[in-house]
Amino acid sequence: MEKFQTITSTYVPLPIENVDTDQIIPARFLKATTRDGFGDNLFADWRYDKEGNPKPDFVLNDPTYSGQVLVAGKNFGSGSSREHAAWAIGGCGFRVVVSSFFADIFSNNALNNGILPVVVSDQFLGELFASSRANQQATVTVNLEEQTITNNETGKSESFVINSYKKGCLLNGLDDIDFLLSNKDKIEAYEKSRAYSY
Amino acid sequence: MKTLFDKIWDAHVVTTVEEGPTQLYIDRHLCHEVTSPQAFAGLRARGLEVYRPERTTLTADHNIPTMGQDQPIRDQVSRFQVDTLAKNARDFRLTYYGLNNPMNGIVHVIGPENGYTQPGMTIVCGDSHTSTHGAFGAIAFGIGTSEVEMVLASQCILQTRPKTMRINFEGRLNEHVGAKDMALYMIAQLTTGGATGYFVEYAGAAVRNLTMEERMTLCNLSIEMGARGGLIAPDEATFSYIKGREFAPKGERWEEAMAYWRTLHTDEGAQFDKEVTFGVSQIGPMITYGTNPGMGMPIDGTIPQLEDIDEAGKISFEKSLHYMGFTPGEKLEGKSIDYVFLGSCTNGRIEDFRLFTNYVKGKKKADNVTAWLVPGSWKVRKQIEAEGLDKILEEAGFALRQPGCSACLAMNDDKIPAGKYAVSTSNRNFEGRQGPGARTILAGPLVAAAAAVNGKITQP
């Protein structure tokens, strides 16, 4: 996994609430057996018409918006556990998703793929949307080490929460399997010592 | 004093990372073809074996046709995905219930019906509706593919301990009201993200009175309000459901299990982070009108007005109604529909088929309705046939399909056409969930049966 460093980037605003994983990547695109190629179908039904042509009014098709940061409305990533949603977001070049609320499984999936979900207040989120409406080249800075996000248009910062284990994983580019495999002796000890075993 | 959740969680802690997640041992891991191939590929890339192969069970369900399963799958990409699952089962020596296997079916149907699902277990699957198994008093939740790989490699997973919530359903259910209506009512009250970060225990007289299959329906929908999972303390109904099933403990092991399972309940006075109580007498048959499961109302209700929606939610609300072709303040009772789908891990079990069949018996399917009746497993389908329900359905103009997830997520050919209205017993009414442009109205099996014979939304 690529190490996560401080990012200053323009961002793509998606001011819609309850964006579910069926919107992020519709089920018909889940037939692949690898992790590659999902970026092309990120938000497919909002992004392309029936003939597969880009819909000009959808933000990902608006060349004035781009960047490594996706900023979305409250309760992002609800629904299915499909990790393909995180692969699609990563496949489109995003390293950070900002919202005021995330669904649990999506958060885990994002972190397991080196994508940082940043939870901000409703007010901070609203200001990010306002900043990008006023200036499409508006930027944010996400500093994982300091756990801060800054709206560079307003100069306002907020701190965000991440557990120190996951933070360490992202900063060092490590994943959970490395950790679990290093704990095999503890797993075996647990199996031998448990009171009731299935 | 501990909650049921605490007891099970604490019994599975291998170790806790300082200021980090818990390493939790997993008793039962279920896998299907869609969310597992990349995990097996990951094992190969790292040169790893499956750590405890006897604890993982595989079935093909999401991406399979519900007609002609004896023929090779026509869609090449789907066929390759299912073949990949079979190959992974062979290479890693795992139990696999493939197409035409009498044990095949939807992962959350075959777990309970074969006795894999037991009280006190930790159960995971790369599927958010794993919460279904919580009906047996298990900690069961959906995981992503990286986590599937973790479980295969180590039989463990790293999880942050969720907060606990108890939801009490008190009183006696009205006639024609079932677990699906309770769930849709609850999600409408708490909203689609209202239980995010929590693990829910369902309690109260109305929950105790539910059958095991109804409990599964309720727990299944826990994820639709964002909960990590939902569970119900095991009782005599749980034990008698499990007893004698293929993978249930037998003989002395059964006695040992019962002694342990009887301790699995929330202690008097144990504290939850949040507690909610609903009186069930106010719940009527429910439907949804929008594009998330929290947008539900009674059949005779009206869609909210725009001014009732908070400012930040207005764009999403309008987008949702535009997609559905509905207007604020509209009443949906009497509205004509095009499709009915009976099935899925939410409502694809024998009791759902009994309810549906009992309602349509002696009536006729409406001409304007296309109905897809998809049993949750081959065992469910065999039971339907054993009880002669298939004959009654046939006389009423309905045909049974073969088991699978089918139109719940429309990965196979069972897609609702764009713009058409489907009354569906499944779990999600998201945009495009049942096919691009499909408009889903979620409901229980009785409401679906009424829609199928009346051709429109009516009280059952």
Side-chain angles (χ1 to χ4, degrees), chain B residues 146-164:
Chain B
S146 295
E147 294 169 312
V148 170
E149 188 179 339
M150 290 174 211
V151 177
L152 292 171
S154 69
Q155 207 55 43
C156 288
I157 195 170
L158 291 175
Q159 289 290 296
T160 304
R161 189 183 187 117
K163 291 180 281 188
T164 56

Side-chain angles (χ1 to χ4, degrees), chain A residues 17 20 22-23 30-31 34 46 79-81 83 104 109 164-165 175 183 188 190-191 194 196-198, chain B residues 11 19 23 25 27 38 46 52 75 78 81 119-120 144-146 197 253 257 316 319 411 428 431 433:
Chain A
E17 295 190 347
D20 59 72
D22 275 82
Q23 305 321 313
L30 308 186
K31 298 183 181 186
T34 69
W46 290 347
S80 146
S81 63
E83 194 161 317
D104 285 335
N109 287 341
S164 58
Y165 166 80
D175 70 21
N183 260 347
E188 283 176 19
Y190 169 83
E191 286 176 326
R194 59 191 300 199
Y196 178 84
S197 187
Y198 292 90
Chain B
E19 287 181 66
Q23 181 175 342
Y25 193 82
D27 294 314
Q38 295 86 355
R46 293 173 197 249
R52 294 287 181 250
D75 178 330
S78 296
Q81 195 175 50
T145 300
S146 295
R253 285 285 291 155
S316 311
K319 186 175 187 309
M411 272 193 81
R428 289 188 176 135
E431 282 185 34
R433 171 79 177 182

Side-chain angles (χ1 to χ4, degrees), chain B residues 91-107:
Chain B
D91 289 358
F92 291 95
R93 298 170 287 110
L94 302 170
T95 301
Y96 169 53
Y97 303 126
L99 291 187
N100 305 306
N101 185 312
M103 302 272 274
N104 173 263
I106 302 175
V107 62

Side-chain angles (χ1 to χ4, degrees), chain B residues 398-409:
Chain B
F398 296 93
L400 280 181
R401 297 172 83 95
Q402 294 167 328
C405 297
S406 181
C408 177
L409 84 167

Side-chain angles (χ1 to χ4, degrees), chain B residues 288-434:
Chain B
T288 60
Y289 58 85
T291 55
N292 74 58
M295 301 173 86
M297 64 182 189
I299 287 187
D300 55 2
T302 51
I303 296 174
Q305 297 288 353
L306 190 59
E307 56 263 31
D308 300 331
I309 307 298
D310 69 57
E311 211 45 51
K314 278 192 164 68
I315 296 178
S316 311
F317 179 76
E318 285 187 298
K319 186 175 187 309
S320 178
L321 290 195
H322 175 75
Y323 180 85
M324 291 299 293
F326 297 152
T327 51
E330 190 178 353
K331 205 171 170 189
L332 297 186
E333 193 173 1
K335 199 162 181 77
S336 178
I337 56 109
D338 310 294
Y339 281 75
V340 165
F341 172 57
L342 174 67
S344 85
C345 59
T346 312
N347 283 118
R349 284 170 280 265
I350 186 65
E351 288 180 10
D352 301 310
F353 280 83
R354 285 182 192 139
L355 271 177
F356 188 98
T357 307
N358 193 40
Y359 187 92
V360 304
K361 186 175 184 174
K363 304 186 177 88
K364 284 280 176 215
K365 182 183 77 61
D367 290 336
N368 61 312
V369 170
T370 303
W372 292 336
L373 276 49
V374 185
S377 70
W378 277 107
K379 284 194 173 174
V380 171
R381 183 167 161 140
K382 293 280 178 249
Q383 187 62 27
I384 290 169
E385 289 163 357
E387 294 179 18
L389 304 183
D390 54 326
K391 297 285 181 304
I392 300 170
L393 288 167
E394 204 173 304
E395 279 164 27
F398 296 93
L400 280 181
R401 297 172 83 95
Q402 294 167 328
C405 297
S406 181
C408 177
L409 84 167
M411 272 193 81
N412 66 358
D413 291 337
D414 306 347
K415 290 178 173 58
I416 310 293
K420 298 293 184 189
Y421 289 101
V423 172
S424 178
T425 67
S426 54
N427 41 58
R428 289 188 176 135
N429 49 356
F430 297 154
E431 282 185 34
R433 171 79 177 182
Q434 297 198 284

Side-chain angles (χ1 to χ4, degrees), chain B residues 101-141:
Chain B
N101 185 312
M103 302 272 274
N104 173 263
I106 302 175
V107 62
H108 310 309
V109 175
I110 68 164
E113 78 182 1
N114 292 303
Y116 280 118
T117 305
Q118 296 171 22
M121 277 184 161
T122 47
I123 302 174
V124 295
C125 172
D127 188 285
S128 59
H129 293 108
T130 308
S131 59
T132 312
H133 307 264
F136 292 78
I139 291 184
F141 55 91

